[in-house]
């Protein structure tokens, strides 16, 4: 008897397709959830976008000036390798726009935080939001929300404050904002200060909790109690409210604070994301990144993205990105792919961290694809930024995810995403790429493939990798 599959088993030249992030049950149909309605009195999205354009008008103006005056072939506008506008460029912009140098530099920083200017390596260029600024309300609102999330960077804390206290206040402010949103009106600053002090005390208590493993005779007994920090929170609350007012999230004066329509809408969106996660089958909002990603593995793409958004909304962006990259460095290739899917939801704030890991062999292909898509490449064509060796390494890594979590037919279909035109060429390059899971992947592929001749060739390749032969 002969196999109905040709023995040379040539692969078709097809564009590599992003593999499904995880095996999904075909009959899995999560219940539809109707889109929630914003609180009564919330302006229409077009009106919210008009407000956001007004808040960011000066930043957009400086970004457009830089696009014209500092484009390719013109004088360099940055000097520190971080795309910070140089004093010379700021002075030039100030003369042409009728602004002081300090105003130009502040507006430039706001433009970067809002994604109107994007930093790529040691240079900056106009972001896609600037290109869509006048016609795309969603782009405008996303830009303003990015600025809202970065309020502590847009308005640095006053000098002389303890860094630990500043970090605690930044971590506690989401609860203060939630209280403002639920109050639906002016709230006395004294009441907000009381709430802030309570939340900071909770954070200090949580930080002091350590597991009890029995007495340690070599160490003196240390009573478990919150750190006694006498740093007054009044000036830090004043700074936080002033910073949030500067980005248009609230009004602050006469001993009261009130969310603006933009701020009220943004806080409601984040609370809604958290509620969606809490009500979802996965409910991963309180999990660490690795457990959250495992919980999302069986979800459809849209449901998984909703989980990522909610998980991200519940924690500072910087620590969330760090946690996702830590999960990506683990041994589970499935989590590696899912971590970068979650980082796609993070968007521009994750770029410096993703760029920083692009030299790590395990993460490099994922990081390069992420950066290519972030720079505007079509996801279908982003793979073109990878070298042949990087693409082969990614093929093996993805195959490892399928072997660990998928089914045999899916692993066989994964052959179609290889860039090599024939199986022998694929096996030669897979053997040479040096992926630590190569042997396991080849053994699993040999066991899954229905063609005996091809399976034998794959097993031989696995043995050669295992023994170090050629």
């Amino acid at each position: 008897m002969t196999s109905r599959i040709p023995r040379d088993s040539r692969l078709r030249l097809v564009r590599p397709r992003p593999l499904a992030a995880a095996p999904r049950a075909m009959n899995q149909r999560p219940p539809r959830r109707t889109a929630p309605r914003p609180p009564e009195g919330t302006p229409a999205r077009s009106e919210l976008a008009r407000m956001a354009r007004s808040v960011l008008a000066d930043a957009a103006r400086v970004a457009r000036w830089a696009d014209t005056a500092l484009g390719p072939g013109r004088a360099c506008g940055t000097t520190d390798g971080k795309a910070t506008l140089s004093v010379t460029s700021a002075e030039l912009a100030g003369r042409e726009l009728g602004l002081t140098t300090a105003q130009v530099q502040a507006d430039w920083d706001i433009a970067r935080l809002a994604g109107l200017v994007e930093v790529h390596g040691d240079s900056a260029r106009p972001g896609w939001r600037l290109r869509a600024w006048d016609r795309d309300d969603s782009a405008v609102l996303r830009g303003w929300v990015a600025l809202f999330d970065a309020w502590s960077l847009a308005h640095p804390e006053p000098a002389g404050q303890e860094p630990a206290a500043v970090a605690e206040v930044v971590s506690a402010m989401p609860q203060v904002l939630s209280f403002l949103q639920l109050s639906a009106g002016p709230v006395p600053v004294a009441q907000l200060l009381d709430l802030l002090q309570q939340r900071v005390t909770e954070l200090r208590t949580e930080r002091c909790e350590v597991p009890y493993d029995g007495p340690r005779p070599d160490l003196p007994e240390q009573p478990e109690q919150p750190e006694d920090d006498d740093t007054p929170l009044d000036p830090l609350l004043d700074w936080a409210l002033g910073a949030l007012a500067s980005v248009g999230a609230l009004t602050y004066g006469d001993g009261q604070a009130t969310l603006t329509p933009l701020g009220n809408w943004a806080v409601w969106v984040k609370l809604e994301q958290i509620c969606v996660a809490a009500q979802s089958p996965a409910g991963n909002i309180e999990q660490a990144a690795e457990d959250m990603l495992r919980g999302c593995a069986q979800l459809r793409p849209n449901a998984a993205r909703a989980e990522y958004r909610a998980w991200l909304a519940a924690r500072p962006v910087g620590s969330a990105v760090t946690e996702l990259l830590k999960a990506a460095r683990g041994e589970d290739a499935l989590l590696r792919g899912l971590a970068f899917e979650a980082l796609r939801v993070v968007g521009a704030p994750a770029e410096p961290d993703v760029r920083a890991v692009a030299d790590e062999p395990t993460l490099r292909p994922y990081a390069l694809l992420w950066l290519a898509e972030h720079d505007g490449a079509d996801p279908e064509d982003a793979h073109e930024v990878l070298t042949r060796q990087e693409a082969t390494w990614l093929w093996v890594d993805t195959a490892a995810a399928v072997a660990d979590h998928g089914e045999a037919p899916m692993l066989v279909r994964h052959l179609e995403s290889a860039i090599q035109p024939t199986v022998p060429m694929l096996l030669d390059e897979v053997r040479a790429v040096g992926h630590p899971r190569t042997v396991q992947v080849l053994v699993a592929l040999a066991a899954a493939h229905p063609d005996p001749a091809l399976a034998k060739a794959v097993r031989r390749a696995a043995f050669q990798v295992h023994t170090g032969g050629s």
Side-chain angles (χ1 to χ4, degrees):
M1 295 181 63
T2 59
S3 170
R4 287 177 291 176
I5 301 177
R7 295 217 170 208
D8 62 358
S9 297
R10 294 182 63 84
L11 299 178
R12 295 290 183 264
L13 282 171
V14 297
R15 280 200 287 184
R17 300 171 300 178
L19 191 69
R24 303 178 183 90
M26 295 304 294
N27 59 355
Q28 179 186 3
R29 297 193 179 278
R32 289 178 176 266
R33 185 175 187 271
T34 57
R37 299 181 64 84
E40 186 176 353
T42 301
R45 284 180 66 85
S46 58
E47 178 63 15
L48 290 170
R50 185 194 66 76
M51 297 175 184
R53 285 188 178 95
S54 177
V55 171
L56 291 166
D58 291 339
R61 188 176 174 215
V62 169
R64 288 197 176 100
W65 174 87
D67 183 23
T68 301
L70 305 178
R74 300 176 178 85
C76 178
T78 66
T79 57
D80 64 351
K82 300 178 182 178
T84 302
L85 201 63
S86 68
V87 174
T88 302
S89 297
E91 290 174 347
L92 176 61
R95 289 194 297 271
E96 296 187 11
L97 300 177
L99 301 171
T100 67
T101 300
Q103 286 175 323
V104 171
Q105 291 174 325
D107 290 337
W108 174 263
D109 290 339
I110 295 295
R112 291 169 60 189
L113 293 173
L116 297 173
V117 172
E118 295 179 354
V119 179
H120 299 272
D122 60 353
S123 63
R125 64 177 181 231
W128 67 270
R129 286 175 185 150
L130 184 64
R131 302 297 189 211
W133 197 247
D134 295 325
R135 55 180 170 77
D136 190 337
D137 289 346
S138 293
V140 174
L141 289 174
R142 288 179 182 178
W144 183 83
V145 169
L147 175 63
F148 170 66
D149 287 339
W151 63 267
S152 61
L153 301 178
H155 194 84
E157 71 276 7
Q161 296 294 330
E162 289 292 332
V166 172
E168 289 168 343
V169 169
V170 172
S171 298
M173 282 308 293
Q175 186 166 333
V176 175
L177 290 169
S178 298
F179 181 75
L180 278 167
Q181 198 271 338
L182 294 172
S183 299
V187 177
V189 172
Q191 191 172 359
L192 296 178
L193 179 61
D194 183 60
L195 177 62
L196 178 66
Q197 289 172 332
Q198 292 180 38
R199 181 57 184 148
V200 167
T201 299
E202 291 173 0
L203 291 171
R204 291 172 182 168
T205 301
E206 293 168 2
R207 191 169 64 244
C208 289
E209 289 179 350
V210 294
Y212 179 74
D213 295 320
R216 289 283 305 276
D218 56 322
L219 294 176
E221 287 191 18
Q222 296 289 338
E224 286 186 26
Q225 58 184 11
E227 295 176 8
D228 184 15
D229 190 336
D230 295 329
T231 303
L233 297 181
D234 311 53
L236 288 174
L237 177 61
D238 179 69
W239 158 67
L241 293 176
L244 287 161
S246 73
V247 302
L250 53 79
T251 58
Y252 175 42
D254 298 326
Q256 295 181 325
T258 310
L259 286 179
T260 64
L262 265 177
N264 187 71
W265 167 78
V267 175
W268 171 80
V269 167
K270 292 184 179 296
L271 289 173
E272 180 61 24
Q273 289 173 346
I274 293 172
C275 290
V276 167
Q279 297 170 9
S280 71
N284 297 290
I285 189 169
E286 296 182 359
Q287 302 293 328
E290 184 171 331
D291 294 329
M292 180 273 294
L293 295 171
R294 291 190 191 281
C296 293
Q298 297 294 333
L299 298 179
R300 292 174 180 271
N302 286 341
R305 281 190 289 271
E307 291 284 330
Y308 302 150
R309 283 192 292 269
W311 186 84
L312 292 164
R315 45 192 42 80
V317 173
S319 61
V321 171
T322 299
E323 204 173 333
L324 287 169
L325 289 173
K326 181 180 178 182
R329 291 187 178 97
E331 295 182 359
D332 194 328
L334 174 62
L335 297 192
R336 194 153 29 251
L338 292 176
F340 276 86
E341 288 299 319
L343 289 168
R344 285 178 174 85
V345 175
V346 177
E351 186 198 1
D353 297 274
V354 173
R355 195 174 293 280
V357 303
D359 291 331
E360 297 182 25
T362 303
L363 303 184
R364 180 172 176 78
Y366 294 94
L368 293 178
L369 290 176
W370 190 99
L371 291 168
E373 293 177 27
H374 177 67
D375 289 348
D378 189 307
E380 289 290 323
D381 301 325
H383 68 278
E384 295 175 0
V385 303
L386 302 180
T387 65
R388 192 171 178 109
Q389 184 178 16
E390 290 163 350
T392 303
W393 195 99
L394 181 61
W395 184 91
V396 178
D397 203 52
T398 309
V402 177
D404 290 342
H405 302 278
E407 299 174 354
M410 185 181 295
L411 186 58
V412 174
R413 290 197 301 271
H414 185 52
L415 280 172
E416 297 178 4
S417 66
I419 62 173
Q420 290 79 5
T422 67
V423 170
M425 290 179 66
L426 171 64
L427 295 179
D428 286 343
E429 296 185 30
V430 164
R431 285 199 299 260
V433 81
H435 193 288
R437 295 290 306 278
T438 298
V439 172
Q440 294 94 323
V441 165
L442 293 178
V443 169
L445 180 58
H449 206 284
D451 180 355
L454 187 144
K456 181 178 180 180
V458 173
R459 278 194 299 272
R460 184 185 304 115
F463 180 78
Q464 290 170 342
V465 174
H466 176 66
T467 58
S470 59

